[in-house]
Amino acid sequence: MAMRTCQKIKTTVNVLGKFSLRDFSGVKNLKMSKWQEEKDKFLGMSLENKRELYKSYTQLKDIPTWQEYAKKESLAKKIAAKLDFTMDDSLNETLREKISLFQGDITKLEVDAIVNAANSSLMGGGGVDGAIHRAAGPLLLEECKSLRGCETGDAKISGGYKLPAKYVIHTVGPRGEKPGLLQNCYKNSLKIMLDKKLKSIAFPCISTGIYGYPIEPAAHVAISEVRKHLESHADEVERVIFCVFLPEDERVYEGALQSYFPVK
Ligand code: ADP
């Protein structure tokens, strides 16, 4: 009898030995965080119910494609492209319908994902980052805390909560003119879009505010990366929107877009 009790104790000790302290602290995490529950709730809502949450929004169908936009008489002068790849001109007609230039507040766009020009802490900030957090509500910050920051040029995805956009892709642009890092922001955001099978995305002019990247070279990086992506993934994309905030940035984008997405 004493032998059997002894054996039982030994077995219990062995079983317990297989768990580390971390496993037991993990039990606490089995309970879903509030942001996780709410994220699922927002993502599962019907469009009708979700629209009651946000006061004003712009639907994708109301954003003209670049093809439609370019009919404007007062289009800014073309700025020559800086191509580091060969453009397949046979795609021009299709691709002109897959992009848009929109001037206004990115937080109003009812698209699959908006991109946030975040900082590496992902804890919110000024500019477009602040606007996105304010419109999404405090649970966005809670989810961002769980993402554990983001390197410059990298990108991470979260829910959109009270935003008209389903998701937010947070990317961290470089401080100052560093084309390789800015390219990575666009590349990695588009990769997430592809992996998550999202069809529409809106980009702000990453790094061109507080981070001080001059608008014209930044526009070239943004537009050429999108063109490169669309050359091989046009079928997976419904729309890529370049969302500019300032009227003068819109003029720069108009000029650059004519080179990468030529219009007749
Ligand atoms: P960064 O630190 O990457 O420079 P900022 O937020 O300062 O980020 O600026 C990035 C760009 O976002 C700028 O072009 C700025 O004009 C623009 N911006 C600011 N607020 C909004 C908004 N609500 N919607 C769209 N773009 C915005």
Side-chain angles (χ1 to χ4, degrees), residues 73-85:
E73 274 172 35
S74 56
L75 210 58
K77 219 168 137 249
K78 181 172 169 174
I79 307 173
K82 296 169 186 165
L83 287 181
D84 61 355
F85 64 102

Side-chain angles (χ1 to χ4, degrees), residues 101-197:
L101 174 55
F102 176 86
Q103 194 235 324
D105 185 354
I106 203 165
T107 68
K108 304 287 184 209
L109 301 182
E110 196 180 66
V111 288
D112 288 342
I114 58 170
V115 176
N116 181 15
N119 59 53
S120 57
S121 74
L122 297 187
M123 291 296 151
V128 71
D129 194 4
I132 290 174
H133 276 270
R134 276 192 300 280
L139 290 171
L140 176 61
L141 181 61
E142 292 309 307
E143 181 173 5
C144 282
K145 283 179 190 164
S146 79
L147 298 176
R148 295 172 187 278
C150 185
E151 304 268 313
T152 303
D154 216 342
K156 293 191 175 177
I157 189 166
S158 73
Y161 300 90
K162 292 182 182 164
L163 284 165
K166 289 191 195 122
Y167 295 94
V168 179
I169 297 174
H170 308 263
T171 188
V172 182
R175 290 167 196 260
E177 194 173 340
K178 293 176 186 128
L181 288 172
L182 189 60
Q183 271 178 350
N184 288 346
C185 290
Y186 287 92
K187 241 186 242 163
N188 289 322
S189 301
L190 291 164
K191 185 175 181 309
I192 291 180
M193 178 194 193
L194 199 64
D195 292 347
K196 294 273 177 192
K197 299 190 170 17

Side-chain angles (χ1 to χ4, degrees), residues 27-44:
V27 170
K28 184 172 89 209
N29 295 335
L30 287 178
K31 197 172 159 284
M32 261 189 161
S33 306
K34 182 149 167 54
W35 66 260
Q36 280 171 312
E37 283 172 30
E38 292 294 301
K39 179 180 177 178
D40 293 345
K41 196 180 91 186
F42 285 117
L43 289 171

